[in-house]
Amino acid sequence: MEKIMSVATAPKTGTFQMRINPEIKERVEAIYARCGMTLTDAVNAFIQQSLNVEGMPFLVTQNSQEALREQAVSILMKELKNGENSVKSDKDWISEEEMLAEFGVNL
């Protein structure tokens, strides 16, 4: 079993530096401050979540909104198919048309 890594409790002996536009840094620090975090806290949260999911902690694409929608639709369709298949395996299963006919509903 792989040991769970925790950014919060791990010894801080390494360093990480990056260059960023000062105006962007100021704006993002204000955003994180409203959440009660520093920029360092936010970077550590990003790193921790990357460890948790063993990858990027969010979807990165040219059009993330569309990709998320497609992913949600795909998951929904899979769940619907699983539900349909589980019902069809039941010997008492009847189709929608048979059910409507049984109740005298004409479409």
Side-chain angles (χ1 to χ4, degrees), residues 8-19:
T9 59
K12 313 264 187 307
T13 57
T15 60
F16 171 76
Q17 291 182 336
M18 63 181 276
R19 297 208 178 271

Side-chain angles (χ1 to χ4, degrees), residues 81-94:
K81 192 68 171 168
N82 287 344
E84 181 182 357
N85 290 340
S86 70
V87 173
K88 283 184 177 179
S89 65
D90 185 352
K91 65 181 178 179
D92 296 326
W93 182 81
I94 62 171

